[in-house]
């Protein structure tokens, strides 16, 4: 069944001629929302390892990459993804040494850097632009929601204007931006989902990752869940809202993912998020049944 949205696999074949696999890297960074620079404790859903619970922080960056490549075929192409915490939050010379360590093999075609909008500035973007001479560079920004009230409740630590400024600066240097969006945030409704999609449609972003909010051990959200202050949405609700997002999203934006990942031993709720194939199958079938596709309800008069 043809997928009713623009997939990452199709995009990579269009731009690089092949499908690629990803090496998730612990770059040894922290976050300004944890060390007191802009806040403490991080976002309420963020774990102790900053979404990199499956990674081994004792290994050097080069070793993390080599350990994965040694088991791959000689012709496989790879994405080096700096995943957890804020991977532009360090002096320029430190950033350069860590990025260089990841680009230790010619099979790595894309340098993918996860970070925060408030850790993007001209000097950092100029550094990233240098790497475009060696490989493709992506920057991932965790917006989560365009609802400022929800963002404060999440302890996100920056406003929408900061996000806009970071995207604008990155695109001035032709660096593609991928945005993280979470469905099912506390108190949010379908209208909030559509508001966030509309906000993103007005920005020159190239990709998006959408997933539901889940409760992981050792987070503020886990405390809320234990106290009955938060309940995750159902799988059915997520599927409905994910389709709302897709059908209103600009059709040129690449869908990098439509599900969340969490180690089972750390997952508190909901159990259904581990059913990746069932989630995707339901979205595909229902969109096809309704004749829907990415951007079919997109208002071109309200775009960039």
């Amino acid at each position: 069944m043809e997928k009713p949205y623009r997939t990452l696999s199709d995009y990579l074949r269009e731009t690089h001629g092949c499908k690629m696999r990803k090496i998730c890297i612990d770059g040894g960074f922290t976050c300004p929302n944890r060390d007191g620079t802009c806040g403490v404790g991080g976002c309420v859903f963020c774990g102790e390892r900053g979404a990199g619970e499956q990674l081994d922080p004792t290994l050097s960056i080069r070793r993390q990459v080599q350990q994965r490549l040694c088991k791959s075929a000689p012709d496989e192409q790879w994405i080096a993804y700096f995943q957890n915490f804020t991977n532009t939050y360090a002096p320029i010379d430190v950033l350069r040494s860590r990025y260089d360590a990841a680009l230790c093999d010619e099979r790595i075609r894309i340098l993918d850097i996860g970070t925060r909008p408030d850790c993007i500035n001209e000097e950092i973007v100029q550094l990233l632009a240098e790497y475009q001479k060696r490989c493709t560079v992506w920057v991932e920004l965790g917006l989560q929601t365009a609802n400022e009230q929800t963002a404060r409740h999440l302890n996100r630590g920056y406003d929408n204007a900061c996000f806009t400024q970071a995207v604008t600066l990155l695109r001035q240097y032709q660096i593609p931006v991928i945005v993280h969006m979470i469905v099912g945030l506390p108190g949010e409704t379908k209208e909030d989902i559509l508001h966030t999609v509309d906000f993103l449609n007005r920005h020159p972003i190239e990709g998006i990752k959408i997933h539901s909010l889940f409760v992981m051990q050792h987070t503020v959200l886990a405390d809320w869940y234990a106290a009955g202050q938060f309940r995750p949405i159902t799988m059915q609700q997520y599927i409905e809202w994910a389709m709302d997002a897709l059908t209103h999203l600009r059709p040129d934006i690449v869908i990098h993912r439509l599900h969340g990942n969490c180690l089972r031993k750390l997952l508190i709720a909901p159990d259904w998020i581990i059913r990746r194939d069932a989630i995707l199958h339901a979205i595909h079938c229902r969109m096809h049944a309704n004749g829907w596709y990415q951007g079919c309800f997109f208002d071109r008069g309200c775009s960039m």
Side-chain angles (χ1 to χ4, degrees):
M1 181 188 300
E2 183 179 354
K3 294 178 181 177
Y5 50 83
R6 193 176 186 205
T7 68
L8 177 59
S9 294
D10 287 344
Y11 172 77
L12 289 172
R13 290 190 181 97
E14 292 168 11
T15 57
H16 290 79
C18 64
K19 186 176 180 178
M20 295 187 193
R21 299 176 68 187
K22 185 172 290 187
I23 304 171
C24 295
I25 298 170
D26 184 325
F29 294 95
T30 183
C31 176
N33 200 17
R34 285 181 170 271
D35 68 6
T37 300
C38 78
V40 294
C43 298
V44 299
F45 51 79
C46 189
E48 295 176 328
R49 295 288 313 286
E53 286 76 17
Q54 80 282 12
L55 306 178
D56 185 350
T58 67
L59 297 178
S60 69
I61 293 171
R62 186 181 182 90
R63 182 58 183 156
Q64 291 177 63
V65 173
Q66 291 175 333
Q67 195 173 68
R68 189 73 186 275
L69 292 179
C70 71
K71 301 175 183 177
S72 69
D75 60 343
E76 281 188 307
Q77 305 296 305
W78 293 83
I79 300 168
Y81 176 33
F82 282 83
Q83 181 181 20
N84 55 326
F85 292 126
T86 307
N87 295 280
T88 58
Y89 186 48
I92 291 296
D93 58 336
V94 173
L95 297 179
R96 182 179 284 109
S97 67
R98 295 183 186 181
Y99 300 159
D100 285 345
L103 297 175
C104 59
D105 191 290
E106 62 182 11
R107 287 173 289 177
I108 297 174
R109 302 278 300 280
I110 298 175
L111 178 63
D112 185 6
I113 300 169
T115 188
R116 292 167 53 90
D118 53 354
C119 291
I120 293 291
N121 59 39
E122 187 91 31
E123 187 180 24
I124 288 171
V125 174
Q126 288 176 352
L127 172 67
L128 298 177
E130 290 179 20
Y131 282 93
Q132 292 185 113
K133 301 171 185 176
R134 300 170 56 182
C135 63
T136 299
V137 177
W138 294 343
V139 169
E140 300 197 16
L141 299 177
L143 177 70
Q144 321 310 352
T145 178
N147 184 318
E148 299 267 27
Q149 182 176 352
T150 303
R152 288 190 292 272
H153 189 51
L154 298 175
N155 194 37
R156 190 177 69 181
Y158 60 85
D159 59 17
N160 290 349
C162 179
F163 173 85
T164 298
Q165 183 178 13
V167 173
T168 301
L169 183 57
L170 286 161
R171 293 307 295 148
Q172 285 176 358
Y173 286 82
Q174 303 302 310
I175 298 173
V177 177
I178 302 160
V179 180
H180 293 221
M181 174 181 172
I182 297 181
V183 171
L185 293 169
E188 290 213 333
T189 64
K190 173 181 175 178
E191 286 66 35
D192 291 299
I193 302 299
L194 297 181
H195 171 64
T196 296
V197 169
D198 179 65
F199 178 78
L200 292 175
N201 283 338
R202 296 170 184 269
H203 288 74
I205 67 169
E206 295 207 2
I208 190 169
K209 289 182 175 181
I210 303 173
H211 68 81
S212 63
L213 181 62
F214 55 83
V215 183
M216 190 167 57
Q217 292 180 17
H218 313 304
T219 62
V220 173
L221 190 63
D223 295 336
W224 292 358
Y225 180 79
Q229 298 170 353
F230 170 73
R231 286 291 176 266
I233 60 174
T234 65
M235 179 172 165
Q236 175 64 30
Q237 186 65 78
Y238 174 71
I239 290 167
E240 294 294 332
W241 282 352
M243 290 191 298
D244 287 329
L246 288 170
T247 54
H248 288 81
L249 193 67
R250 256 188 10 243
D252 62 286
I253 296 174
V254 180
I255 311 303
H256 283 242
R257 72 184 318 168
L258 279 173
H259 59 90
N261 283 337
C262 180
L263 294 179
R264 292 196 184 194
K265 66 181 182 180
L266 296 178
L267 179 64
I268 295 176
D271 293 339
W272 59 261
I273 72 155
I274 64 175
R275 301 176 59 194
R276 172 187 177 274
D277 292 343
I279 295 166
L280 296 181
H281 182 71
I283 291 173
H284 300 165
C285 289
R286 294 185 192 184
M287 289 184 71
H288 279 295
N290 287 304
W292 294 343
Y293 52 87
Q294 180 181 339
C296 63
F297 301 134
F298 167 60
D299 185 354
R300 297 181 184 277
C302 295
S303 60
M304 295 179 294

